[in-house]
Each structure stands twice: as structure tokens, then as C-alpha cells.
């Protein structure tokens, strides 16, 4: 539940009849107009519903994909409005622009307790502009549509953008229930976590996750590494990695982390076996994976998943954990043949007797597409970049702006 008491007070006692602008994160993957993973929509429902039930006229703003500051059909939020309405159990009015004639008309038509969704906020260049004045001018237009602002798009709170940051400076504001939950969980991962504390990292790029490794090396007891980033670590240990994903410019950093971990008594676990194939994507042919020792990856192959021995070892390392943070799939889980490592880690997390947190857009999608029950995890974060930046110890502008 969100805490909107202070906000209600600022509005004269209640949100009833007030236009409340809610920044949600509805950035879901689409295949045409089909939503392939609706996790973020589901996570956004609670706050919207709570405000609507309190009688607010709820105006939701969100982005989808990475349009370049102009409308593009394939990034329209229209399919999302329909699905949001189904999940809310009441129709969601859709504005075909964000702050223009359509938005104004749709908002003016809202009755108490009704919900509207504005078209993709990133169709407007002011949203992501680096120029404070341009962003501010757009935030002015957003603010005109509402009496108050609720920040609930956790996936974007690390962005200094008009609908996240500037609009909060222009309206009475509050933190939404989703953002509050996310922050509380992340706080538990950084302040005095229950031990043993195990961090599992995977995914495609080491350079994305360096800051997290840096910050968590001093806090975690064990660090398990898989996914595409593992090959830079294996190479740093002197192994050949064939055609696997490799970031040559990060080799020294990986060596430093391996040494630091040893010095500070943090156990870094790298896979001992790897599932490889001769090419990826495999095109028309079926994948022909084989399992090789991590120290003996053939030159003409690339690693696409951690092997069964490593998956078992990771599960053992997780068995007695009291706190787990996992970010980044262990392999190219989107292809069945390379999903076993990710499946094994996900299963191990469901068995953790303590706080288990899954962070990262692809990791969250992985546990859902692999058929796990979301309730079996302590928390599935909706924000990849935001949770990583929090764990790196960085300030999140979208949170700071709410605290004044
Ligand atoms: P998240 O969104 O959870 O933070 P990332 O975006 O860092 O995760 O990485 C997810 C991607 O990493 C997935 O699309 C997956 O296919 C890819 N990946 C995992 N293992 C490998 C690998 N061995 N080689 C190449 N890509 C990989
Ligand atoms: Mg990702």
C-alpha cells in the first residue's frame, strides 16, 4: 500500500476528485501489438487501483521502447492501455498524444475513480532532453494536466527525465507503492544483509555490472558469475574462450576483482563447464550444443550457457544463503537449448530460506517465461538499471527529488 496521507493533506484532505498524474513503468516487450511479458503492467496496477478507489482521477504517463522524441506507431502504448484496463477491471481511456489536445480532452472527461493513459511520453523530445529548460517546459505541460504527482515507475527513477524528475518539482508529490517496495528491498540488500549473502551475476555485458561488483564485493560472502560476462573473467584467468562474448578492455578490471575477492575472503565462483555451439543464432538448424570444460573451450565455438556441473555447484552455493541478489541470465535462455543454467539458478532461488531478489528486465522475464511462480521469489524487481545503480551506491534522481 502506498502512503498518500501527506499528499492527501496537501490536497486539502483527500485525493478524491483530484487529478493525479502517476508515472508508471509500462515498458513491456511487444511482438507486434502482442505483449510478450506483462510483468511491469501487473506491477503497476496496485498504485493505480488504490488511487482510483480513493476517488482520484488517475492520469498515467509512461514510455515504451526508445523512440527518438517523435511518434512512432510501433512504440504506441495503445495495446498497453487495453491490457491495463483488463487487469484493473475497468476501462482505461487512451489519449493519442501526451500533452496535446487529446490528452487535455481525455483528462477533462475523467470522472472520479477513472483512469486514463497518455501516449508514450518519449514521443516528446522534452522528456529525455539534457537541456534543463527544454525538459522543464515539457514538465510544465505535464503538470498542467494534474493536481498532484505520484512517482511509481521504478524502472526509470535513475533517469533525470521530465516525467520522473522535473514534474515532481512542479506538483505536490508522493512515492508510489511499487517504488516504495523496491527501495525497501534494495535497502535490505545493502544495509546489514542477513548472512550468508550470495550475489549471482550474469547477462551479456561485464561493463554494465562493474559498479555493482565493485560495491557488493565488500558486502557479499559469495559471488557467482555466469552468462556472457563470464568469458571475460575466464580469459582474465588465462583461459581461451573461442568465439564467446568477450570484453577485452575489461580484462584488467576482472583480474583486479579476482584478486580483491581473494584478499577480502569473498568467494568468487566461476563455472567449471560451459555449453557451447559452433554458431549463434543457429539459423535454420537446431542448436547442437555440447558441454566442455570451462578451461578448454574450443576455438571454433562460443559459450552459450553454464554447464550442468556448474549449475549444480551454483545451486549448492545458494542452498544455505539467507540473502540473494541475482541479476543477469546464466545463458542465452531465450533458446531452449541454453536455458538450463538459468533454470537451475532460478530454482535454487525459489528454495532460499531468506530474502531472494531477482533484478533486471531479462532476468525477470526469464523466471516468468521459464514458468516459475513469481510468488516463490522474495521480490522480482521491475527495474534493471535502477536497481543496479542503487546497488552501486549511486543517487537516484527520481527518488531524491521526492524527498525534499
Ligand atoms: P538483465 O536485463 O536481467 O539485467 P542483461 O540485459 O545483462 O540482463 O542480459 C540479458 C541477456 O544476456 C539475455 O538476452 C541473454 O541471452 C544474454 N546472455 C546470457 N548468456 C549469454 C552468453 N553466454 N552469450 C551471449 N549472451 C548471453
Ligand atoms: Mg537487459
Amino acid at each position: 500500500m502506498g502512503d498518500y496521507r501527506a499528499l492527501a493533506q496537501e490536497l486539502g484532505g483527500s485525493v478524491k476528485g483530484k487529478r493525479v498524474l502517476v508515472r508508471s513503468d509500462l515498458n513491456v516487450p511487444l511482438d507486434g501489438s502482442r505483449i510478450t511479458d506483462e510483468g511491469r503492467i501487473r506491477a503497476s496496477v496496485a498504485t493505480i487501483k488504490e488511487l482510483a478507489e480513493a476517488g482520484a482521477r488517475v492520469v498515467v504517463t509512461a514510455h515504451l521502447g526508445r523512440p527518438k522524441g517523435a511518434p512512432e506507431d510501433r512504440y504506441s502504448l495503445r495495446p498497453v492501455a487495453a491490457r491495463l484496463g483488463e487487469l484493473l477491471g475497468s476501462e482505461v481511456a487512451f489519449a493519442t498524444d501526451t500533452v496535446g489536445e487529446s490528452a487535455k480532452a481525455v483528462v477533462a472527461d475523467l470522472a472520479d475513480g477513472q483512469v486514463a493513459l497518455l501516449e508514450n511520453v518519449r514521443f516528446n523530445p522534452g522528456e529525455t532532453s539534457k537541456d534543463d529548460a527544454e525538459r522543464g517546459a515539457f514538465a510544465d505541460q505535464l503538470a498542467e494536466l494534474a493536481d498532484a504527482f505520484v512517482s511509481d515507475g521504478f524502472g526509470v527513477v535513475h533517469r533525470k527525465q521530465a516525467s520522473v524528475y522535473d514534474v515532481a518539482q512542479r506538483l505536490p508529490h508522493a512515492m508510489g507503492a511499487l517504488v516504495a517496495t523496491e527501495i525497501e528491498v534494495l535497502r535490505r540488500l545493502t544495509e546489514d544483509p542477513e548472512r550468508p549473502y550470495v550475489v549471482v551475476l550474469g547477462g551479456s555485458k561485464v561493463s554494465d555490472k562493474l559498479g555493482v561488483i565493485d560495491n557488493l564485493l565488500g558486502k557479499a560472502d559469495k559471488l557467482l558469475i555466469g552468462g556472457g560476462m563470464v568469458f571475460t573473467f575466464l580469459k582474465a584467468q588465462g583461459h581461451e574462450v573461442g568465439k564467446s562474448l568477450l570484453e577485452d578492455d575489461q580484462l584488467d578490471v576482472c583480474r583486479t576483482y579476482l584478486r580483491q575477492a581473494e584478499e577480502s575472503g569473498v568467494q568468487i565462483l566461476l563455472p567449471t563447464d560451459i555449453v557451447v555451439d559452433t554458431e549463434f543464432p543457429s539459423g535454420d538448424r537446431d542448436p547442437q550444443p555440447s558441454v566442455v570444460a570451462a578451461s578448454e573451450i574450443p576455438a571454433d565455438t562460443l559459450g552459450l550457457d553454464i554447464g550442468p556441473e556448474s549449475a549444480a555447484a551454483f545451486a549448492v552455493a545458494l542452498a544455505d544463503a539467507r540473502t540473494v541478489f541475482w541479476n543477469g541470465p546464466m545463458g542465452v535462455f531465450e533458446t531452449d537449448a541454453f536455458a538450463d543454467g538459468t533454470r537451475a539458478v532460478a530454482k535454487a532461488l525459489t528454495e532460499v530460506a531468506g530474502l531472494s531478489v531477482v533484478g533486471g528486465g531479462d532476468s525477470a522475464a526469464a523466471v516468468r517465461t521459464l514458468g516459475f511462480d513469481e510468488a516463490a521469489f522474495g521480490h522480482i524487481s521491475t527495474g534493471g538499471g535502477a536497481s543496479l545503480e542503487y546497488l552501486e551506491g549511486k543517487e537516484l534522481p527520481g527518488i531524491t527529488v521526492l524527498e525534499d
Side-chain angles (χ1 to χ4, degrees):
M1 283 296 207
D3 185 359
Y4 309 113
R5 273 170 302 185
L7 184 68
Q9 227 156 40
E10 271 187 84
L11 295 172
S14 162
V15 296
K16 186 168 179 352
K18 302 292 182 191
R19 299 166 304 160
V20 179
L21 182 71
V22 179
R23 177 50 159 115
S24 297
D25 177 9
L26 303 176
N27 187 25
V28 289
L30 288 179
D31 180 8
S33 64
R34 193 176 64 85
I35 297 161
T36 54
D37 178 41
E38 62 183 31
R40 283 178 167 160
I41 308 180
R42 286 186 177 279
S44 302
V45 165
T47 295
I48 296 170
K49 200 176 190 127
E50 194 184 347
L51 288 165
E53 281 173 357
R57 303 174 180 198
V58 185
V59 182
V60 182
T61 182
H63 76 283
L64 184 78
R66 293 177 180 267
K68 308 243 173 310
E72 251 181 278
D73 268 355
R74 64 185 171 131
Y75 293 130
S76 173
L77 278 170
R78 191 183 280 281
V80 174
R83 186 62 190 137
L84 179 61
E86 286 166 13
L87 292 170
L88 282 167
S90 65
E91 208 184 316
V92 169
F94 183 67
T96 56
D97 56 30
T98 318
V99 292
E101 291 312 311
S102 173
K104 284 177 191 154
V106 164
V107 172
D109 275 352
L110 282 179
D112 295 1
Q114 281 189 335
V115 179
L117 175 62
L118 307 176
E119 182 56 289
N120 196 332
V121 70
R122 290 194 188 165
F123 285 176
N124 307 270
E127 168 68 359
T128 56
S129 173
K130 296 276 175 267
D131 178 56
D132 289 352
E134 191 185 3
R135 240 184 22 252
F138 178 59
D140 284 340
Q141 290 181 288
L142 276 172
E144 266 173 43
L145 295 171
D147 307 302
F149 174 64
V150 170
S151 178
D152 205 37
F154 179 70
V156 287
V157 290
H158 58 314
R159 306 274 185 215
K160 195 173 179 180
Q161 296 176 343
S163 69
V164 180
Y165 181 84
D166 305 81
V167 77
Q169 296 179 315
R170 288 162 169 76
L171 290 170
H173 51 256
M175 189 182 278
L178 176 62
V179 169
T181 305
E182 295 270 10
I183 294 290
E184 169 58 17
V185 168
L186 289 169
R187 201 186 51 72
R188 287 173 65 191
L189 291 177
T190 43
E191 289 170 22
D192 197 20
E194 233 192 298
R195 300 189 177 278
Y197 180 10
V198 184
V199 173
V200 190
L201 291 178
S204 41
K205 284 177 79 183
V206 188
S207 43
D208 280 357
K209 321 243 157 138
L210 287 178
V212 181
I213 300 179
D214 206 27
N215 205 32
L216 291 183
L217 262 185
K219 299 194 166 87
D221 300 300
K222 292 178 204 166
L223 179 57
L224 318 186
I225 300 177
M229 65 189 278
V230 83
F231 303 101
T232 308
F233 277 92
L234 288 172
K235 177 102 184 194
Q237 288 188 321
H239 303 305
E240 288 308 320
V241 297
K243 301 189 288 181
S244 306
L245 208 65
L246 181 66
E247 285 174 84
D248 267 316
D249 55 343
Q250 305 297 337
L251 285 169
D252 279 340
V253 185
C254 290
R255 281 190 203 103
T256 307
Y257 286 148
L258 289 166
R259 199 178 48 239
Q260 269 177 12
E262 206 165 318
E263 284 163 9
S264 57
V266 177
Q267 196 190 344
I268 293 195
L269 222 67
L270 296 180
T272 50
D273 59 346
I274 299 287
V275 182
V276 300
D277 197 357
T278 50
E279 54 186 294
F280 189 85
S282 36
D284 290 338
R285 73 174 176 83
D286 286 331
Q288 284 152 25
S290 54
V291 178
V292 300
S295 55
E296 285 163 23
I297 297 175
D300 62 339
T301 67
L302 71 168
L304 295 161
D305 193 10
I306 60 171
E309 182 183 280
S310 312
F314 281 17
V316 169
L318 285 162
D320 68 341
R322 302 291 301 179
T323 306
V324 181
F325 174 68
W326 172 31
N327 170 273
M330 294 293 101
V332 185
F333 72 93
E334 296 91 340
T335 299
D336 234 1
F338 310 115
D340 285 347
T342 303
R343 192 178 282 117
V345 164
K347 177 148 193 302
L349 252 78
T350 64
E351 288 160 5
V352 164
L355 176 66
S356 59
V357 179
V358 183
D362 292 295
S363 311
V367 304
R368 285 190 288 262
T369 50
L370 294 176
F372 286 91
D373 177 6
E374 289 180 62
F377 300 88
H379 181 70
I380 300 182
S381 177
T382 51
S387 47
L388 291 180
E389 290 201 11
Y390 183 98
L391 294 175
E392 281 172 37
K394 287 192 189 155
E395 194 173 283
L396 306 175
I399 299 298
T400 317
V401 75
L402 302 177
E403 283 160 0
D404 58 4

